[in-house]
Amino acid sequence: MSLYLPRAFDERDLARLDALAAAHPFASLVSVDDGTPCVSHAPVLYARDGERIELTWHLARANPQSRHRGRVLAMLHGPQAYVSPGWYPDKAEQARVPTWNYVVAHLSGDVEAFDDHDSLIRLLDGLSATHEARAAGDWRFDADNPAERVQLRGIVGFRMCIDRVEFKSKLSQNHPVANRVSVIERLAASSRADDRDVAEWMRHTLESQTEGA
């Protein structure tokens, strides 16, 4: 499986991938067995050391995908926004049409499954530490509580070292600067959080390209 990735939208900045994974850690996980695609959705822990990227997650043991071994595609879905052709200064002369701006990453690799208690506890600790902090909560997995520890039997952990990164930021890079500035202004003024996030991604991309010109 590959992502349609025109050159203008091919994002190579791994620091921006870090930001995407931090803001949008809920992944779509795709595998294929006997020609049949299987998809699950789960929060993932993302870690990068240089160019080495690792994802970890868990699935319910009852989930058929928990028995998969081999390649998995993990899709991280970033912000997305509708772009009206009416926002472009050159809309009339260029006969502009509607489009959609978005950010997405496809991360692929071979998975290693694990179900030993120590590894699962480390995974749950990492997930709860990350997301409880966001929720202003303080829950932690209590490994000394038999009622909690027995629940480990119901999940399977997965570790994937990424060997293919396809990172797409479709942010109007194929448009004149005036169009891009206008779209940024419109999205930044929106009441939708995703629209404002896309505006920030667009602004960062435009500034980076302008500085590098």
Side-chain angles (χ1 to χ4, degrees), residues 3-26:
L3 175 67
Y4 173 56
L5 189 55
R7 186 187 299 262
F9 308 140
D10 187 2
E11 178 67 67
R12 299 297 181 91
D13 186 349
L14 292 182
R16 300 203 81 189
L17 179 61
D18 298 344
L20 174 65
H24 301 274
F26 193 70

Side-chain angles (χ1 to χ4, degrees), residues 30-38 64-71:
V30 183
S31 59
V32 179
D33 288 298
D34 298 324
T36 302
C38 185
Q65 197 178 34
S66 71
R67 298 188 289 277
H68 173 80
R69 304 295 180 267
R71 292 194 69 76

Side-chain angles (χ1 to χ4, degrees), residues 22 30 44 90 97 140 162 180 195:
V30 183
V44 296
D90 66 355
V97 295
R140 292 292 185 273
I162 306 305
R180 296 167 71 177
D195 289 352

Side-chain angles (χ1 to χ4, degrees), residues 3-144:
L3 175 67
Y4 173 56
L5 189 55
R7 186 187 299 262
F9 308 140
D10 187 2
E11 178 67 67
R12 299 297 181 91
D13 186 349
L14 292 182
R16 300 203 81 189
L17 179 61
D18 298 344
L20 174 65
H24 301 274
F26 193 70
S28 298
L29 305 161
V30 183
S31 59
V32 179
D33 288 298
D34 298 324
T36 302
C38 185
V39 184
S40 296
H41 307 277
V44 296
L45 285 180
Y46 169 98
R48 181 171 70 86
D49 183 5
E51 294 191 354
R52 185 182 187 279
I53 300 171
E54 183 179 274
L55 297 182
T56 50
W57 67 91
H58 67 81
L59 298 176
R61 191 176 292 275
N63 183 338
Q65 197 178 34
S66 71
R67 298 188 289 277
H68 173 80
R69 304 295 180 267
R71 292 194 69 76
V72 167
L73 166 64
M75 294 184 286
L76 299 178
H77 305 274
Q80 47 77 29
Y82 173 78
V83 177
S84 169
W87 299 346
Y88 302 130
D90 66 355
K91 57 183 177 294
E93 58 267 35
Q94 295 297 327
R96 298 295 186 184
V97 295
T99 192
W100 214 276
N101 280 3
Y102 59 90
V103 181
V104 67
H106 287 195
L107 309 178
S108 306
D110 292 320
V111 294
E112 171 193 349
F114 57 89
D115 59 6
D116 63 284
H117 281 193
D118 288 345
S119 296
L120 289 174
I121 289 169
R122 283 194 296 271
L123 172 57
L124 294 176
D125 281 345
L127 287 168
S128 62
T130 299
H131 298 294
E132 284 292 312
R134 291 181 174 182
D138 59 2
W139 183 88
R140 292 292 185 273
F141 181 81
D142 184 358
D144 296 324

